[in-house]
Amino acid sequence: MSTAERSGASVGQTPPTPEPASVPIKAIRLRHPWRAVFAVLIVVVFVLVLVDAAFRPAYDWPSVGKYLFDRRISQAALVTLELTVYSMVIAIILGVILAVMRLSPNPVVKSVAWFYLWVFRGTPVYVQLTIWGLISLIYSSIDIGIPFMEPWVSFQTQAALNTFTLAIVGLALNEAAYMAEIVRAGLLAVDRGQDEAATALGMSWAQTMTRVILPQSMRVIIPPTGNEVISMLKTTSLVTAVPFSFELFTRSRDISAETFNPIPLLIVASLWYLFFTSILMVGQHFLEKRFARGVGDRQPEKKEPGAVTGAFTGVMPVIGSDPPAIVLPPKDRPGGQR
């Protein structure tokens, strides 16, 4: 062996060995026979329920078709939708105010907001609506002026507030307590560094909330708010406690009292509720998709064709008396592509 060969061997620079060609793995799909059997059983049970409902005389499907688009039912469905929209708009506005009060450093403001939430979340909505229906017995008149002095303007409560208005007020005040916690959770979900960065850029509090905090918190606020809207649509059936009797459920119940056939009218009311709920669910889906843009949709980096993955560089210790071998990436090896 020559001196050059001995020196090369002592340094430990061994010629690179060719990498073995990768063999594709043939994946075999696992079979789940019991899963298929369970799915078939579910389909069979579902079909049997539909067939039984189609031929059961108690449902009286001809009467369902007769009253489904009855003028009284359609008007009551419109009133139900109005109650939902008006109550939710007021509840969202009041809920944002209460959420900001809960996050306020002022202990008095924070305590007032907490007391409001404690009262309206701790009592049933049906009880609250019943109290609002009796508000004229508690406050016979609405007086505007300086306390303990002659009022400037005075209204009779029963004349100023009709049952429709009382129903909206009762539903909105109850829902505002839940919306306040939803909005507060969304605001707290935004990283505090966003607020600090906006302040460093010279933004005011209003600009920070409208341009930085609220747009990012909507991703957290929208899903539970959509659920609350759907829940409000169904909660309108309780306004009979006010009493208000022109919404969908109460109106269908009054018609069934005339026909002595309650089951078809209950199905009619349920179909209208399902129709409105389906529309709200579709709208909620697109809102969530709109405000969730840029979250969780980052694509992995595309690699160039033929690129070698899993390559590493560095110093590898070699067992024995030889010095460690230095491993270079393929493009930097002698004879490799550059």
Side-chain angles (χ1 to χ4, degrees):
M1 181 180 295
S2 63
T3 307
E5 291 177 352
R6 290 196 188 99
S7 62
S10 63
V11 175
Q13 295 180 351
T14 57
T17 57
E19 297 180 359
S22 59
V23 180
I25 300 175
K26 184 179 180 181
I28 301 176
R29 186 181 182 88
L30 294 177
R31 297 182 180 181
H32 303 278
W34 289 108
R35 184 184 299 177
V37 172
F38 186 66
V40 171
L41 289 177
I42 292 177
V43 173
V44 170
V45 171
F46 182 71
V47 172
L48 290 177
V49 170
L50 290 181
V51 172
D52 178 78
F55 295 98
R56 188 167 293 275
Y59 290 116
D60 195 1
W61 295 108
S63 297
V64 173
K66 175 183 178 182
Y67 289 102
L68 184 60
F69 298 103
D70 186 88
R71 184 177 180 181
R72 294 169 294 180
I73 295 295
S74 59
Q75 289 179 348
L78 181 61
V79 171
T80 297
L81 199 59
E82 291 177 350
L83 286 172
T84 304
V85 173
Y86 295 154
S87 301
M88 282 306 303
V89 170
I90 298 174
I92 291 174
I93 295 174
L94 187 57
V96 172
I97 296 174
L98 289 171
V100 175
M101 292 173 65
R102 284 293 309 274
L103 298 175
S104 173
N106 191 324
V108 176
V109 174
K110 184 184 297 185
S111 301
V112 170
W114 180 88
F115 180 79
Y116 180 96
L117 269 61
W118 175 65
V119 171
F120 283 92
R121 292 175 62 191
T123 54
V125 61
Y126 192 84
V127 174
Q128 297 175 25
L129 291 173
T130 304
I131 294 175
W132 282 107
L134 301 174
I135 195 67
S136 60
L137 299 179
I138 304 173
Y139 301 99
S140 59
S141 63
I142 301 175
D143 300 329
I144 300 176
I146 301 176
F148 307 108
M149 296 183 64
E150 188 69 22
W152 301 336
V153 182
S154 180
F155 301 98
Q156 293 297 320
T157 304
Q158 191 170 4
L161 301 175
N162 54 27
T163 54
F164 181 76
T165 305
L166 290 174
I168 293 176
V169 171
L171 292 174
L173 293 181
N174 176 264
E175 183 61 31
Y178 297 93
M179 286 303 306
E181 291 298 283
I182 293 174
V183 174
R184 186 173 71 93
L187 296 177
L188 292 176
V190 180
D191 189 81
R192 184 161 182 83
Q194 300 290 325
D195 191 4
E196 296 175 353
T199 305
L201 292 174
M203 290 186 178
S204 63
W205 180 87
Q207 291 176 333
T208 302
M209 290 297 296
T210 56
R211 298 184 182 182
V212 179
I213 304 299
L214 281 178
Q216 297 184 57
S217 64
M218 293 301 289
R219 179 172 56 89
V220 180
I221 295 174
I222 288 296
T225 301
N227 296 336
E228 290 298 319
V229 174
I230 294 174
S231 178
M232 175 62 72
L233 177 70
K234 296 177 290 185
T235 308
T236 55
S237 60
L238 300 178
V239 296
T240 181
V242 171
F244 181 74
S245 58
F246 293 99
E247 49 83 31
L248 181 59
F249 172 72
T250 308
R251 197 67 178 132
S252 62
R253 189 183 61 182
D254 294 342
I255 297 175
S256 64
E258 299 174 0
T259 61
F260 300 100
N261 194 10
I263 296 179
L265 272 301
L266 290 175
I267 296 176
V268 168
S270 300
L271 291 176
W272 275 100
Y273 282 122
L274 286 173
F275 173 70
F276 288 139
T277 302
S278 302
I279 296 177
L280 293 174
M281 291 175 65
V282 172
Q284 177 183 352
H285 169 72
F286 284 105
L287 279 177
E288 291 181 10
K289 188 176 180 180
R290 166 68 175 80
F291 285 100
R293 292 183 304 174
V295 179
D297 57 352
R298 297 183 178 89
Q299 301 295 331
E301 296 181 359
K302 296 183 179 179
K303 299 184 179 296
E304 298 179 0
V308 180
T309 59
F312 59 91
T313 61
V315 179
M316 293 181 60
V318 179
I319 299 176
S321 59
D322 292 336
I326 300 176
V327 181
L328 300 176
K331 64 179 182 178
D332 293 335
R333 292 175 184 172
Q337 296 180 357
R338 291 183 180 274

